[in-house]
Amino acid sequence: MTTPTQHRLCMIPGPVEFDADVLSAMATPATSHVDPLFIEKFGSAIELLRKVFFAPTGQPFVVAGSGTLTWDATAANLIENGDNVLVINTGIFGDWFAECIGVYGGVVDAVRAPFGSRPSLAQIEAALTSKHYKLVTVTHVDTSSGVLNNIEDICALVKRVSPNTLIALDGVCSVGAEVIKQEEWGIDVVMTGSQKALGVPPGLAVMVVSKRALEVALNRKSPPTTYFASFKKWLPIMQKYEARQASYFATPPVQLILALQVSLEQLVAAQGSLEHRFAQHRVASAKVKDTLESWGLKIVPVNRACAANTLTAVYYPAGVAPAEFLGKVGSRGVVLAGGLHPEHATKYFRIGHMNVSVVNDSLVKHLDTTLNAIKAALQECGHKI
Amino acid sequence: MTTPTQHRLCMIPGPVEFDADVLSAMATPATSHVDPLFIEKFGSAIELLRKVFFAPTGQPFVVAGSGTLTWDATAANLIENGDNVLVINTGIFGDWFAECIGVYGGVVDAVRAPFGSRPSLAQIEAALTSKHYKLVTVTHVDTSSGVLNNIEDICALVKRVSPNTLIALDGVCSVGAEVIKQEEWGIDVVMTGSQKALGVPPGLAVMVVSKRALEVALNRKSPPTTYFASFKKWLPIMQKYEARQASYFATPPVQLILALQVSLEQLVAAQGSLEHRFAQHRVASAKVKDTLESWGLKIVPVNRACAANTLTAVYYPAGVAPAEFLGKVGSRGVVLAGGLHPEHATKYFRIGHMNVSVVNDSLVKHLDTTLNAIKAALQECGHKI
């Protein structure tokens, strides 16, 4: 739990602070990708992903890349030229996912909402009943706006009005911290990157795919329009490693996968359960948001029901200049993120609160350190608290 | 230079053994991808790649992925539907690269040679003059066969008979160890992964693209058929980081890029020059091959001129069983690789000799340790030496 001198707390919405054992695994000496030690750990990571995603019959894929690569994988494997796709858009990541789907031949419609809010179920139902969509995509937590979608309700709606439509969830800033019951809710693809609530340095594209979606991918009319992200290529590799056998398609990122395995074990084992971990993130998020509001700040999401528990996007108070404020927080040893949505970027900043900074809060005090740095910086910038 | 107890030397053709400073960088605490510290190191890595690739005006790309992703990037950015591509094939990696090109619409012809040898310049010239190819691809070192291609001669031939044809070099098992003068020889794309002679754990796709190829990619008729590996998306990111400015398309693998920067500095600075490093790999390769031949073993490449300096593929002597032999070497603390070419896999094994195992050989004695383990295992398997 020690933080080296000079290290500034990385309290952005990913990369997050890492556990010492996870970081140690990153420095594992050279290990063959077909070494029995690595095969065992990779197989274990695949099994653990099913638990973390609540997808007992899902197929995990772990590939060198970033969360963005999981968009390519979803689109290139599930979409054929001219397929209709509905994107439930809550910010810039919805725009970009839509663009990615277009690259792979998908014809995209979007339901949108003003910045800081999410489309209503009625809007989504109207879209779903207007034409048949092969795939609906939804961003669980839009990292640009801090808006949380109501995934359980959206899934129930899709199942009711368009049961054949596949559901793809961008869980990049949610998996491991926000509640996701992939199989119970009927989500076909859940995607994430390693550097958010999974608590592993960036460099892994992680996804779990339902049996139904895998069948669509394996029985498509045209071949998949990707080589590196092809489910057909990676499926036998994942199956072999899970069966504790060597296999090869492209060299897996050994050290990152060893770090992932360490972190996943912590997720399922530490302090009781994943449910407990989700609750801890709700508590931490409320603490950050309550504190900021008590200082007169306004969060970006229009209400708490649509506010993510993994980050807080919050408007600068009047008179506080972004660069000056973020610099003052930084000089107190805490790194925050500026705004990301192009139209609103200069109006708000973002605080990530995930993984060790939340679940070990009583030990590491990352949240108090962060809030204290923000308070002092606000005051120095002339905001009265 | 210490090796932890229990660690077995990883003497396969990648991942290779890593320098202690490179491994330390892998365990860097959480750092924002827009932190000034990281921006400086990423910018430096981009500059250093130009030196290592001998491409002063080339455009480096560093993306989370593996060497395989560089095939997708090359094909998806440079090839449009129906474009003719010539693959100079020296083994399984040529077959796979050809398959990848086909995914992106390329129409592939191949020139081939028997296992252990390489196509002649006359074969290549005949193919190049039979029709116009937009792109010719060549594997510098085919990791499956240990065969080295004569890149300088092939490039001169292409420039003479088909100067408009783009040249793409799969340098996965060569960049940083075999001589490549990208710009002098006129190579348009040089690709590699991090875990070979660059001496960094696996997880990075690394490539340098010529101005000519970049223009082809940016001015293509149809949009690039990839999102994650799009040159159009990554070019402004690479330019910004090199100008020491923050930018975002997908989260870069911070720790791997920090490790890359450390290793690239060693490549260009340590012990004088890259030329010296290339010479060291030739000496190490000759030592391994001479020793094995002195024990009555036969290397896979049909002669030394077409044998890679980064690995040695060598046939098992009569009566030596693969699993027993590799197990005995492993029990002596050295990990080797079996054969990879599907038709010949059980007949030969492979020894990687790259990066620290070569350039620090006088200190770390990886080559002697490996050769001693092989000798003892061969003798125990009944081979007379």
Side-chain angles (χ1 to χ4, degrees):
Chain A
M1 288 309 126
T2 58
T3 307
T5 341
Q6 303 300 331
H7 172 64
R8 299 191 303 166
L9 277 187
C10 192
M11 299 302 286
I12 67 174
V16 302
E17 284 292 316
F18 308 121
D19 178 85
D21 291 341
V22 172
L23 273 184
S24 292
M26 288 292 290
T28 302
T31 303
S32 166
H33 48 296
V34 295
D35 189 291
L37 167 75
F38 175 66
I39 292 172
E40 170 56 35
K41 296 291 184 185
F42 197 175
S44 163
I46 292 167
E47 291 168 349
L48 289 166
L49 284 172
R50 287 206 186 83
K51 291 188 187 176
V52 171
F53 284 62
F54 289 79
T57 71
Q59 178 58 55
F61 291 91
V62 181
V63 176
S66 80
T68 305
L69 180 65
T70 66
W71 292 350
D72 285 69
T74 297
N77 288 287
L78 297 183
I79 297 303
E80 302 197 48
N81 213 23
D83 282 341
N84 291 319
V85 179
L86 181 67
V87 172
I88 300 172
N89 187 310
T90 40
I92 195 77
F93 288 92
D95 294 340
W96 291 341
F97 196 179
E99 184 187 352
C100 175
I101 291 165
V103 166
Y104 293 97
V107 178
V108 176
D109 294 325
V111 286
R112 297 175 179 277
F115 183 65
S117 60
R118 61 194 187 190
S120 69
L121 290 171
Q123 271 180 281
I124 299 168
E125 181 163 358
L128 283 171
T129 50
S130 71
K131 70 166 87 160
H132 178 70
Y133 291 100
K134 183 178 190 179
L135 176 71
V136 57
T137 76
V138 54
T139 315
H140 199 170
V141 168
D142 197 292
T143 316
S144 71
S145 63
V147 167
L148 177 77
N149 263 305
N150 45 348
I151 303 305
E152 185 173 10
D153 292 347
I154 291 171
C155 290
L157 171 63
V158 176
K159 298 294 169 196
R160 178 166 60 78
V161 305
S162 187
N164 293 326
T165 298
L166 297 168
I167 303 173
L169 178 65
D170 179 343
V172 161
C173 206
S174 74
V175 170
E178 303 281 3
V179 182
I180 302 174
K181 302 285 172 73
Q182 178 167 359
E183 207 148 306
E184 186 184 322
W185 296 352
I187 313 174
D188 292 288
V189 184
V190 177
M191 295 158 265
T192 194
S194 45
Q195 77 279 11
K196 310 277 182 170
L198 293 182
V200 178
L204 292 177
V206 180
M207 57 202 305
V208 177
V209 178
S210 74
K211 280 183 179 295
R212 179 171 81 152
L214 209 53
E215 273 172 31
V216 169
L218 299 179
N219 296 297
R220 46 186 290 143
K221 291 186 208 110
S222 55
T225 48
T226 176
Y227 182 76
F228 183 68
S230 164
F231 289 168
K232 280 189 190 178
K233 292 292 182 191
W234 283 111
L235 177 61
I237 309 300
M238 296 298 141
Q239 290 171 332
K240 280 279 184 89
Y241 273 97
E242 189 169 5
R244 307 304 195 262
Q245 292 167 26
S247 192
Y248 178 77
F249 169 59
T251 306
V254 172
Q255 279 70 9
L256 276 164
I257 289 172
L258 293 173
L260 176 69
Q261 196 274 340
V262 171
S263 191
L264 291 175
E265 283 213 328
Q266 293 175 351
L267 257 78
V268 300
Q271 306 185 36
S273 71
L274 283 160
E275 299 289 357
H276 178 64
R277 185 173 274 259
F278 300 150
Q280 287 178 302
H281 281 84
R282 287 192 295 270
V283 169
S285 174
K287 173 179 170 168
V288 171
K289 290 172 176 64
D290 288 347
T291 305
L292 294 170
E293 288 183 347
S294 77
W295 297 338
L297 274 62
K298 185 172 176 293
I299 65 169
V300 170
V302 293
N303 58 54
R304 288 290 180 96
C306 74
N309 297 296
T310 49
L311 80 154
T312 297
V314 58
Y315 290 106
Y316 298 104
V320 172
E324 186 189 357
F325 168 74
L326 294 173
K328 286 182 185 296
V329 175
S331 70
R332 284 177 169 76
V334 176
V335 177
L336 301 179
L340 186 60
H341 194 286
E343 284 172 46
H344 306 274
T346 58
K347 299 178 196 160
Y348 70 104
F349 64 98
R350 296 172 300 149
I351 309 158
H353 28 81
M354 287 173 255
N355 204 275
V356 293
S357 295
V358 167
V359 299
N360 296 336
D361 182 42
S362 57
L363 283 169
V364 297
K365 303 286 181 198
H366 290 178
L367 298 184
D368 285 341
T369 304
T370 302
L371 289 169
N372 289 340
I374 292 171
K375 184 178 186 179
L378 284 173
Q379 288 173 321
E380 282 187 22
C381 289
H383 180 69
K384 296 269 186 281
I385 293 178
Chain B
M1 290 307 128
T2 58
T3 309
T5 340
Q6 305 299 330
H7 172 64
R8 300 191 301 166
L9 277 187
C10 193
M11 300 301 287
I12 67 174
V16 302
E17 285 292 317
F18 307 121
D19 178 84
D21 291 341
V22 172
L23 274 184
S24 292
M26 287 292 289
T28 303
T31 304
S32 167
H33 48 295
V34 295
D35 189 291
L37 167 76
F38 175 67
I39 292 173
E40 171 55 36
K41 296 291 184 184
F42 197 175
S44 163
I46 291 167
E47 291 168 350
L48 289 166
L49 283 172
R50 287 206 186 83
K51 292 189 185 172
V52 171
F53 284 62
F54 290 78
T57 70
Q59 178 57 56
F61 290 91
V62 181
V63 176
S66 80
T68 305
L69 181 65
T70 65
W71 293 349
D72 285 69
T74 298
N77 287 288
L78 297 182
I79 296 303
E80 302 197 49
N81 213 23
D83 282 342
N84 291 319
V85 179
L86 181 67
V87 172
I88 300 173
N89 187 310
T90 40
I92 194 76
F93 287 93
D95 294 340
W96 291 342
F97 196 179
E99 184 188 352
C100 175
I101 291 165
V103 166
Y104 293 97
V107 179
V108 176
D109 294 325
V111 286
R112 296 174 181 279
F115 183 65
S117 60
R118 60 192 187 192
S120 69
L121 291 171
Q123 271 179 282
I124 299 168
E125 180 162 359
L128 283 171
T129 49
S130 71
K131 70 167 88 159
H132 177 70
Y133 291 101
K134 183 178 189 179
L135 176 70
V136 57
T137 76
V138 54
T139 315
H140 199 170
V141 169
D142 196 293
T143 317
S144 71
S145 63
V147 166
L148 177 77
N149 262 305
N150 44 350
I151 303 304
E152 185 174 10
D153 291 347
I154 291 172
C155 289
L157 171 63
V158 176
K159 298 293 168 198
R160 178 167 59 79
V161 303
S162 187
N164 293 326
T165 298
L166 298 167
I167 303 173
L169 179 65
D170 178 344
V172 160
C173 207
S174 74
V175 170
E178 303 280 4
V179 183
I180 302 174
K181 302 284 173 73
Q182 177 167 359
E183 207 148 306
E184 184 184 324
W185 297 351
I187 313 174
D188 291 288
V189 184
V190 177
M191 295 158 266
T192 194
S194 45
Q195 77 279 8
K196 310 276 183 176
L198 292 183
V200 179
L204 291 177
V206 179
M207 57 203 303
V208 177
V209 178
S210 74
K211 279 183 179 295
R212 178 171 82 151
L214 208 53
E215 272 172 31
V216 169
L218 298 179
N219 296 298
R220 45 186 291 143
K221 290 185 211 112
S222 55
T225 49
T226 176
Y227 182 76
F228 184 67
S230 164
F231 290 167
K232 280 189 191 180
K233 292 292 181 191
W234 284 112
L235 177 61
I237 309 299
M238 296 298 141
Q239 290 171 332
K240 279 280 185 88
Y241 274 98
E242 189 169 5
R244 307 304 195 262
Q245 292 168 25
S247 192
Y248 178 77
F249 168 59
T251 306
V254 172
Q255 279 69 11
L256 276 164
I257 289 171
L258 293 174
L260 175 70
Q261 196 273 340
V262 170
S263 191
L264 292 174
E265 283 213 328
Q266 293 176 352
L267 257 77
V268 300
Q271 306 184 37
S273 71
L274 283 160
E275 299 289 357
H276 178 62
R277 184 171 274 259
F278 300 150
Q280 287 178 301
H281 281 84
R282 286 192 294 271
V283 169
S285 174
K287 172 177 170 168
V288 171
K289 290 173 176 63
D290 289 347
T291 305
L292 294 171
E293 288 182 348
S294 77
W295 297 338
L297 273 63
K298 183 173 176 296
I299 66 169
V300 170
V302 294
N303 58 54
R304 288 290 181 96
C306 75
N309 296 297
T310 50
L311 79 154
T312 297
V314 58
Y315 290 107
Y316 297 106
V320 172
E324 186 190 357
F325 168 74
L326 294 173
K328 286 182 186 297
V329 175
S331 70
R332 284 177 169 77
V334 176
V335 177
L336 301 179
L340 187 58
H341 195 285
E343 285 172 44
H344 307 273
T346 59
K347 299 179 197 159
Y348 70 104
F349 63 98
R350 296 172 300 150
I351 308 158
H353 27 81
M354 286 173 254
N355 204 274
V356 292
S357 296
V358 167
V359 299
N360 296 336
D361 183 42
S362 57
L363 282 170
V364 296
K365 303 287 181 197
H366 289 179
L367 298 183
D368 286 340
T369 304
T370 301
L371 289 168
N372 289 340
I374 292 172
K375 183 178 188 181
L378 285 172
Q379 288 173 322
E380 281 187 22
C381 288
H383 180 69
K384 297 268 186 281
I385 292 176

